[in-house]
């Protein structure tokens, strides 16, 4: 029975446990995140708007029906009669000339569709980068936790030896208190690191839409040493200024502004459409009969001849908007160049810092190895030993951090080019 219970408990634990690699986390985020689903709906709406814009050029069929009944007007044969009327018709209307507004509407809707598709790609790009940042931060924190655990183990072993030395009066009480203080400090850092890991895992679960009750484990990954060798900075800058998502969206905004200007200009021109209707005309009488239905057809013209310059003001506003978007397009190119350059320089800095931190870690390891032997031989004090151990611990944490920052900086640089 106990074995059966143990098997069931093991099975239930396995059901709610999940181990992920970085690539698996990215794939899940691109499939499950709320931001992606929202962007997909926006893209679908843009496709529907484009279809609606095309249908504006097609004929439309309308039905109109009216029944009217007025107040009492006179008496006939001693009875009150009300004036009443009834009309109904069904008509077909085909736009002939709309001042270019239909074509402009289609062009604008097409630009909006392009923008929605680009924004969808931008959302995927940003979600990928966010997932990498969260996942990498978990890996960094878990590596730091391993460093702290190793440090605590070293200090606890030293503390046991110091207790024996204290009993033999080889060291003072102050020496062992300093070690105990350092152990408590490491414990505090471990608690803070564990809390940070828990928070970051919650973020990752939300991003990937993983149930809260699942136990999530992330697998560490290897980071290449020379990521800069994969970069052609000058070529990347030019490509990003012309072909990146941000650059293309800025161009589409100019197209939308041009379409809006055309629509505003079309409002200044007459609108012409052909129509054909079949039905009854309104007839007011004093009985319940209606006229026979008949066909009516022709061409209608609608033109706002005078509105105190309201239409021209709207057209002037649309021209200014077009110019604004053209200036924004130029500004976007400058912003892209600055962003790519900044990300590249940050990557260069971290590449050098990574090499520096690696040397610092190697030096701290050698120094602690020697100081440990010196302390065991009684050549240095407890304070010197603890300083050396703290330096080693901090050097390992710093190296873990810069290594992860190096990877994230490389991914930020790549994202700025997309």
């Amino acid at each position: 029975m106990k074995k059966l219970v143990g098997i069931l408990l093991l099975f239930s634990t396995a059901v709610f446990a999940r181990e992920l690699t970085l690539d698996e986390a990215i794939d899940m985020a691109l499939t499950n995140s709320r931001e992606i689903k929202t962007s997909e709906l926006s893209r679908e709406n843009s496709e529907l708007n484009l279809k609606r814009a095309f249908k504006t050029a097609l004929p439309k069929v309308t039905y109109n029906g009216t029944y009217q009944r007025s107040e009492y007007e006179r008496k006939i044969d001693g009875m009150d009669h009300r004036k009443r009327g009834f009309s109904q018709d069904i008509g077909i209307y085909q736009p002939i000339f709309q001042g270019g507004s239909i074509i402009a509407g289609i062009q604008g809707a097409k630009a909006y569709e392009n923008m929605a598709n680009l924004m969808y790609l931008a959302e995927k790009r940003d979600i990928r980068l966010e997932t990498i940042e969260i996942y990498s931060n978990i890996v960094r924190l878990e590596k730091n936790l391993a460093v702290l655990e190793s440090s605590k183990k070293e200090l606890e072993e030293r503390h046991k030896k110091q207790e024996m030395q204290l009993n033999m009066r080889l060291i003072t009480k102050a020496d062992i208190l300093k070690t105990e203080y350092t152990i408590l400090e490491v414990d505090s850092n471990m608690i803070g690191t564990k809390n940070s890991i828990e928070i970051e895992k919650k973020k990752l679960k939300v991003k990937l839409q993983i149930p809260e009750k699942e136990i999530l484990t992330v697998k560490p990954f290897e980071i290449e040493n020379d990521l800069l060798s994969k970069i052609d900075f000058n070529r990347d800058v030019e490509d990003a200024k012309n072909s990146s998502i941000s650059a293309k969206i800025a161009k589409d905004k100019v197209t939308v502004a041009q379409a809006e200007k055309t629509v505003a200009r079309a409002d200044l021109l007459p609108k012409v459409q052909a129509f054909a209707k079949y039905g009854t005309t309104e007839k007011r009488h004093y009985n319940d009969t209606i006229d026979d239905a008949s066909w009516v057809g022709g061409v209608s013209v609608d033109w706002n001849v005078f509105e105190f310059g309201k239409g021209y003001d709207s057209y002037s506003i649309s021209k200014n908007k077009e110019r604004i978007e053209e200036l924004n397009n130029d500004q976007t190119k400058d912003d892209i160049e600055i962003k790519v350059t900044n990300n590249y320089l940050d990557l260069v800095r971290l590449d050098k810092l990574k090499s520096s931190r690696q040397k610092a870690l190697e030096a701290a390891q050698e120094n602690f190895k020697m100081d440990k032997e010196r302390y065991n031989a009684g050549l240095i004090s407890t304070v010197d030993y603890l300083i050396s151990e703290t330096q080693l611990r901090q050097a390992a944490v710093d190296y873990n951090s810069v290594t992860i920052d190096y990877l994230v900086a490389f991914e930020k640089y790549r994202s700025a080019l997309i």
Side-chain angles (χ1 to χ4, degrees), residues 212-230:
E212 175 62 27
K213 61 185 177 181
E214 287 195 20
I215 299 173
L216 182 62
T217 304
V218 300
K219 293 182 179 180
F221 46 78
E222 295 294 328
I223 300 175
E224 296 183 32
N225 290 324
D226 190 13
L227 295 175
L228 284 173
S229 62
K230 298 183 176 182

Side-chain angles (χ1 to χ4, degrees), residues 289-325:
T289 62
I290 60 174
D291 294 341
D292 294 334
S294 61
W295 282 100
V296 177
V299 176
S300 65
V301 179
D302 181 18
W303 191 3
N304 294 326
V305 178
F306 180 72
E307 291 183 305
F308 296 94
K310 176 183 175 183
Y312 186 77
D313 290 340
S314 298
Y315 176 65
S316 298
I317 291 172
S318 65
K319 286 178 63 178
N320 290 338
K321 287 183 177 179
E322 180 187 19
R323 181 55 183 158
I324 288 172
E325 293 302 335

Side-chain angles (χ1 to χ4, degrees), residues 34-50:
R34 294 189 181 98
E35 296 90 342
I36 283 292
K37 294 177 181 178
T38 300
S39 185
E40 286 174 347
L41 291 173
S42 298
R43 186 173 65 166
E44 183 179 344
N45 282 344
S46 71
E47 294 173 354
L48 294 173
N49 282 330
L50 180 58

